[in-house]
């Protein structure tokens, strides 16, 4: 997730444009802004790069998910199906709207298991939210067809998979809505920021209004604008958007280096008997930000993680016991630690989490190691890293 590895004069120039005019807000002040509309410019460029009709830039990936759900009318009591392996933003965005997160199993793609999704559908289900974790995608054909059959919204969380594709289309542009994060550790970064893509004009208008207090953005007198509905402030600032413009220009070169480094490491690891790799659905191409692989058992995987650390090979993640990404670590969710009262619908669903059988996901996650791919490595460093990884893992097999 290397956007920050490539900061340079391009980012500084963009930020200086904003600082020189002094207009840090994306709306208004037309006469003073030197014709700089950084957020607008980024939205147009990102929509084009991602082959989508509309892009709405916002303050974070978490707010992007919240706004995407809100723009499609998801609200109190509506059920949204999400995976047990993801980032906490998935359930946070759902709960924010009073909707109900329904957590289901993943499979060896490390994303939603379509069969588990089908089994979880009830009359209250409104949306399926696949999360393309660690650079690769859910089985989107299967999920799309389930959503079409049951008339559900398909919302892709592509925050970790910018640049990956499925049947030639950019991840995040395939569902009804797609969300991205530009936080500091993503493929490209604004410092903080997020985006929503959609081809649906109604959702795009609602998203535009919702992220800015419900403003209709008609005319150029902000004080005179009407508010077709309520909203919040999830706006991005011009400074953040400016950084994003420069980063977006670098996206294709970032992806190319990631792929090269990933391939070197994978070619070495695939010679190790006992290592298998995450399944990438047919027609999919990863963004190569992580190399995720499986060892034969939980015990061997724990030993391998220990051996990698002993060999000083950094950035190998064992999500099974990492507090951010897997249900095992979400004690605050499972035990309903909410600052305020939650609805009975939400309480009922979350109370089930401590007794639901997620052993299918456990059996995948407890054998998974994800190895981060950086772009600052020289070819020699990548090759050395690959050999070190091989030796460390072989020492425990
Ligand atoms: C899969 C996924 N979704 C959503 C988010 C939230 O993005 P942000 O940090 O911009 O709120 C993240 C951030 O790590 C993520 O990994």
């Amino acid at each position: 997730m290397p956007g920050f590895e490539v900061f340079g004069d391009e980012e500084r120039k963009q930020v200086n444009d904003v600082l020189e005019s002094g207009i840090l807000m994306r709306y208004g002040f037309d006469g003073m802004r030197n014709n700089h509309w950084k957020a607008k410019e980024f939205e147009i460029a990102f929509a084009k790069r991602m082959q989508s009709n509309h892009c709405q830039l916002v303050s974070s990936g978490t707010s992007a998910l919240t706004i995407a759900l809100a723009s499609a009318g998801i609200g109190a009591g509506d059920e949204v199906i999400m995976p047990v392996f993801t980032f906490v933003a998935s359930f946070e965005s759902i709960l924010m709207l009073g909707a109900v997160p329904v957590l289901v199993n993943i499979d060896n793609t490390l994303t939603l298991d379509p069969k588990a999704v089908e089994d979880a559908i009830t009359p209250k289900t409104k949306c399926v939210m696949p999360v393309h974790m660690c650079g690769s995608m859910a089985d989107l054909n299967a999920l799309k067809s389930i959503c079409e059959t049951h008339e559900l919204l398909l919302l892709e969380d592509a925050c970790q998979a910018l640049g990956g594709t499925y049947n030639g289309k950019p991840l995040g542009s395939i569902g009804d809505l797609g969300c991205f994060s530009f936080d500091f550790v993503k493929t490209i970064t604004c410092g903080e920021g997020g985006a929503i893509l959609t081809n649906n004009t109604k959702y795009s208008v609602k998203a535009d209004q919702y992220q800015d207090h419900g403003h209709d953005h008609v005319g150029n007198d902000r004080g005179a604008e009407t508010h077709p509905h309520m909203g919040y402030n999830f706006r991005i600032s011009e400074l953040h958007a400016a950084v994003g413009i420069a980063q977006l220009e670098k996206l294709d070169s970032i992806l190319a280096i990631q792929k090269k480094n990933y391939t070197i490491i994978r070619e070495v690891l695939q010679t190790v008997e006992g290592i298998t790799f995450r399944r990438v659905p047919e027609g999919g191409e990863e963004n190569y930000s992580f190399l995720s692989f499986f060892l034969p058992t939980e015990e061997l995987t724990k030993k391998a993680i220990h051996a990698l650390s002993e060999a000083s090979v950094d950035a190998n993640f064992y999500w099974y016991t990492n507090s951010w990404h897997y249900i095992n670590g979400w004690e605050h969710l499972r035990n309903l630690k909410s600052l305020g009262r939650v609805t009975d619908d939400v309480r009922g669903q979350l109370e089930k989490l401590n007794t639901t059988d997620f052993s299918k996901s456990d059996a995948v996650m407890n054998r998974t190691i994800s190895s981060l791919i950086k772009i600052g490595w020289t070819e020699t460093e990548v090759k050395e890293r690959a050999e070190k990884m091989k030796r460390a893992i072989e020492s425990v097999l």
Side-chain angles (χ1 to χ4, degrees), residues 1 59-63 65 86-87 89-90 131-133 157-160 180-183 185-186 192-194 325:
M1 298 185 169
S59 55
S60 70
T62 310
S63 59
L65 291 166
T86 177
F87 182 59
S90 307
V131 185
H132 306 314
M133 286 298 281
D157 177 340
C159 290
Q160 290 196 12
F180 294 86
S181 163
F182 305 120
D183 74 22
V185 293
K186 292 300 184 288
E192 298 285 357
H325 286 289

